[in-house]
Amino acid sequence: MRVEIWSDIACPWCYVGKARFEKALAAFPHREGVEVVHRSFELDPGRAKGDTAPVLAMLTKKYGMTEDQAREGEQRLGENAASEGLDYRTEGRDHGNTFDMHRLLHLAKERGLQDELIGLFYRANFAEERSVFDDDERLVELAVAAGLDADEARAVLGDPEKYAAEVRADEREAAELGANGVPFFVLDRKYGVSGAQPADVFAQALQQAWGDRSPLTTIAAGADGSEGDACGPDGCAVPQQGDTV
């Protein structure tokens, strides 16, 4: 079963939602049969690279909050993160364009390191002091920490077209699926879970999606209902004299 997660590194509920989903997944009895794929979604796709601002200033401008309201909201987010065992800096963080991080996540997907990298991106953005928005070398350091090659990561960052089509394709697909916010979880292309739901909601969704998988329909069986010759744990069928092979 495949679970696809549309998210953005700048989204605090994506950070919290990932932890809640992983808690449910860790307890899921069929965990080894679940593939998790992270998909790209930009909350502020029109923002220019290098255009950074303090989070509190962004919140007051974008949502019309007072500074006190923005600070209170960050405090509540910090409490939600702490309840999931996550560190969260409620003041002093900045905000910016996440396109390059999404491009690196597609490189990481090809190398089998996507989950490691997105986890490091989240922690760096929400829990650490150094910005992830104003220095490409910071992104290279995180990519290396996830297991990627430094020169390969630099080459992606140096070519704005590298993996750009993959990011845009993910974003178009999100729109087609009706996702207008993140995190957005899609289970086997049958069920969608919107938002950072509690772990028990994710557990229920995993169980339902697993149970509703369509059984395999076998075709081209013999006229008498028999199956063709095959190999299995007990060995291979051996043709007998007179058999047609």
Side-chain angles (χ1 to χ4, degrees):
M1 181 170 73
R2 171 180 281 197
V3 178
E4 297 163 279
I5 308 173
W6 272 264
S7 58
D8 191 13
I9 305 306
C11 165
W13 285 118
C14 296
Y15 180 45
V16 173
K18 182 176 186 291
R20 292 176 177 174
F21 171 76
E22 287 175 347
K23 184 182 295 184
L25 186 60
F28 187 54
H30 307 291
R31 168 66 186 92
E32 296 305 314
V34 178
E35 175 193 13
V36 178
V37 178
H38 296 280
R39 301 291 192 191
S40 301
F41 189 107
E42 294 173 274
L43 291 172
D44 197 355
R47 193 177 196 126
K49 180 175 179 176
D51 178 13
T52 63
V55 166
L56 292 180
M58 179 274 294
L59 292 172
T60 58
K61 181 179 180 181
K62 187 171 183 178
Y63 299 107
M65 298 179 176
T66 66
E67 189 169 321
D68 285 343
Q69 288 172 329
R71 187 172 285 107
E72 289 171 6
E74 282 293 286
Q75 187 63 42
R76 286 193 294 273
L77 280 165
E79 292 167 359
N80 274 274
S83 71
E84 303 302 331
L86 301 172
D87 293 329
Y88 189 99
R89 296 176 66 234
T90 57
E91 293 192 21
R93 291 192 303 107
D94 63 353
H95 183 273
N97 180 282
T98 58
F99 189 62
D100 281 348
M101 283 181 273
H102 285 295
R103 295 195 300 116
L104 284 174
L105 284 168
H106 276 278
L107 168 65
K109 179 176 180 290
E110 289 187 354
R111 302 294 179 264
L113 297 166
Q114 193 183 42
D115 195 66
E116 289 84 350
L117 184 57
I118 198 169
L120 288 169
F121 279 165
Y122 278 138
R123 177 168 180 80
N125 184 40
F126 291 107
E128 297 176 3
E129 185 172 352
R130 187 176 170 190
S131 175
V132 295
F133 299 107
D134 62 358
D135 183 2
D136 281 356
E137 279 305 302
R138 174 61 168 151
L139 300 185
V140 172
E141 289 175 12
L142 293 168
V144 170
L148 292 171
D149 178 77
D151 290 338
E152 192 171 30
R154 286 193 188 96
V156 170
L157 293 172
D159 180 358
E161 296 304 314
K162 192 70 173 175
Y163 298 107
E166 287 83 349
V167 174
R168 298 306 184 211
D170 278 356
E171 293 173 338
R172 285 194 303 271
E173 197 163 17
E176 291 167 1
L177 291 169
N180 52 20
V182 286
F184 188 70
F185 301 76
V186 176
L187 290 76
D188 252 8
R189 292 298 171 111
K190 287 185 176 181
Y191 298 98
V193 179
S194 180
Q197 299 288 347
D200 59 348
V201 173
F202 287 122
Q204 180 182 356
L206 285 166
Q207 193 62 51
Q208 185 170 351
W210 184 270
D212 285 355
R213 290 173 305 143
S214 299
L216 184 68
T217 300
T218 304
I219 61 174
D224 60 355
S226 62
E227 302 295 334
D229 294 329
C231 296
D234 298 324
C236 298
V238 179
Q240 303 298 314
Q241 186 174 3
D243 286 350
T244 300
V245 296

